[in-house]
Amino acid sequence: MRNQLLIVLSALTLLLSACQQDAEQSLAEKTTDTAPQEEIVVPAFNADSAYHFVQRQVDFGPRVPNTSAHLATANFLRETLENYGAEVQIQSFDAPAFDGTSLALQNIIASFNPDVSKRILLAAHWDSRPFADKDDERKHEPIDGANDGASGVGVLLELGRMFQVQPPEVGVDIILFDGEDYGEPEDYQESSESSNQVWWCLGSQYWAENKHKNNYMAYYGILLDMVGAEGAQFYREGVSMRAAPSIVKKVWGKAQELDHGRHFVYKNSPEIVDDHIYVNYNAKIPMIDIIDYAAGSEAYFPAYHHTHDDNMDIISKETLKAVGETVAGVVYHE
């Protein structure tokens, strides 16, 4: 009798299990039929628009702090981001340069979807080098900085236009850091009283200690620096790999998916001092750096770096598009 009862119970268990599986399958099919997953459509990144934004910055003249071109560019950037519906804050501050010059600097912060808690931080620097210290001629004259500064800003302005047309699900903060490129020249010999002071990345150093919003945090950040040169290649930079490897994987994977592997190379490059260092270690937000790297060069950077060759002649719409589409793809799929 006991054996027969066990047989009956086993049969009932199998029957109930089968019925449950049938019900679950039916529910799944019904759910699939009635609530299909919505496909994420990413707006088209306009490379002509990004190129135009680079050109507009260069047309103001070198964006060196304490100059009229610097002030005019700041107004243009603020107005453009406001026109795209962002909440814009200007973080004004004074900072000493390596030679004791007091620099009047402005970090420009634009927030899209400001009430959304999950936020992505996108950044670039908007100032340009005050001298061409790597050039053989006109070494003491400022450079255009078409790629070193203006290209990253151009991509971010175009992304801002896209965010207005079709807001992403996440909140996005675009920060344009000032004072990144006022570091000491190559042949600078004088010693500083504060030997531990880093004279580069003044805007990000300040923002990391004085965030624009109390307790501000972002899920992660992406820094764009020198992202517009013809044939540019972006290796996985050292600090990025150490501080935010999952974000590197996410971005480089999206680039491959979008057929931009020619630019986003699956090789590592050495660590570089850039704005992402202070966002990572002072602001405690994981941030990666997308930056042009000259593989095999002792100088790390391509030959145009900090010379008068950093002008509109080296800017490529194809490179701007590769970077812009990749970053847009990442943001819209969050």
Side-chain angles (χ1 to χ4, degrees):
M1 182 68 179
R2 184 175 180 181
N3 290 339
Q4 291 176 342
L5 181 60
L6 288 174
I7 292 172
V8 171
L9 289 175
S10 297
L12 287 173
T13 301
L14 289 173
L15 180 62
L16 288 172
S17 178
C19 291
Q20 184 178 7
Q21 289 176 4
D22 289 343
E24 289 175 350
Q25 183 176 355
S26 176
L27 180 60
E29 290 172 353
K30 185 177 180 181
T31 303
T32 301
D33 291 339
T34 58
Q37 272 197 328
E38 185 176 349
E39 183 180 355
I40 297 173
V41 178
V42 180
F45 181 89
N46 189 325
D48 290 333
S49 174
Y51 184 92
H52 166 76
F53 286 133
V54 178
Q55 181 74 68
R56 284 295 304 274
Q57 294 171 81
V58 171
D59 287 345
F60 284 113
R63 302 166 303 284
V64 177
N66 299 351
T67 66
S68 58
H70 185 262
L71 289 175
T73 306
N75 290 333
F76 163 72
L77 298 175
R78 174 182 54 78
E79 291 171 3
T80 301
L81 290 163
E82 287 177 342
N83 289 339
Y84 288 153
E87 285 189 4
V88 180
Q89 299 180 54
I90 303 298
Q91 191 177 56
S92 300
F93 62 102
D94 295 327
F98 68 94
D99 58 359
T101 301
S102 179
L103 304 176
L105 302 177
Q106 298 183 49
N107 289 332
I108 301 169
I109 304 151
S111 297
F112 295 84
N113 295 348
D115 297 328
V116 176
S117 58
K118 182 178 181 179
R119 311 204 62 76
I120 308 300
L121 171 58
L122 306 178
H125 76 88
W126 68 275
D127 61 307
S128 58
R129 186 75 168 150
F131 22 72
D133 49 317
K134 290 186 178 180
D135 215 323
D136 295 327
E137 298 179 354
R138 298 161 51 211
K139 294 175 71 72
H140 301 293
E141 296 180 22
I143 67 173
D144 287 346
N147 197 38
D148 194 358
S151 64
V153 174
V155 169
L156 293 183
L157 291 181
E158 169 57 12
L159 289 173
R161 183 196 66 79
M162 294 165 62
F163 296 156
Q164 182 187 42
V165 172
Q166 181 178 322
E169 293 295 323
V170 295
V172 179
D173 300 294
I174 291 176
I175 301 186
L176 307 180
F177 291 121
D178 202 357
E180 189 269 357
D181 232 347
Y182 213 107
E184 60 269 34
E186 292 284 312
D187 58 356
Y188 190 67
Q189 299 294 330
E190 295 182 32
S191 61
S192 168
E193 290 183 4
S194 48
S195 58
N196 293 326
Q197 173 68 48
V198 178
W199 302 110
W200 306 85
C201 309
L202 300 177
S204 56
Q205 288 191 60
Y206 183 86
W207 177 84
E209 302 298 336
N210 304 272
K211 294 178 183 177
H212 63 286
K213 185 177 180 180
N214 288 337
N215 301 316
Y216 171 83
M217 285 300 295
Y219 189 49
Y220 61 83
I222 301 173
L223 175 66
L224 308 181
D225 197 355
M226 299 190 291
V227 293
E230 178 72 37
Q233 290 194 311
F234 312 114
Y235 281 42
R236 300 175 301 187
E237 181 270 341
V239 172
S240 306
M241 288 296 289
R242 180 153 51 88
S246 64
I247 311 307
V248 174
K249 181 179 180 181
K250 181 193 294 278
V251 173
W252 262 247
K254 180 59 67 175
Q256 298 296 320
E257 178 186 323
L258 296 172
D259 199 26
H260 295 314
R262 167 174 178 259
H263 295 286
F264 289 80
V265 181
Y266 274 109
K267 294 182 180 179
N268 297 342
S269 63
E271 297 185 357
I272 189 71
V273 175
D274 208 343
D275 289 316
H276 68 314
I277 284 185
Y278 303 98
V279 176
N280 272 301
Y281 298 121
N282 294 36
K284 309 301 182 185
I285 297 171
M287 172 176 267
I288 69 167
D289 193 2
I290 301 175
I291 186 168
D292 198 357
Y293 174 63
S297 169
E298 293 183 3
Y300 193 100
F301 300 110
Y304 65 78
H305 185 245
H306 290 178
T307 73
H308 292 292
D309 288 335
D310 187 358
N311 54 43
M312 290 304 297
D313 291 342
I314 68 170
I315 299 300
S316 161
K317 293 180 183 179
E318 190 270 337
T319 305
L320 294 171
K321 182 178 181 180
V323 175
E325 284 189 345
T326 297
V327 175
V330 169
V331 170
Y332 277 95
H333 282 87
E334 282 297 342

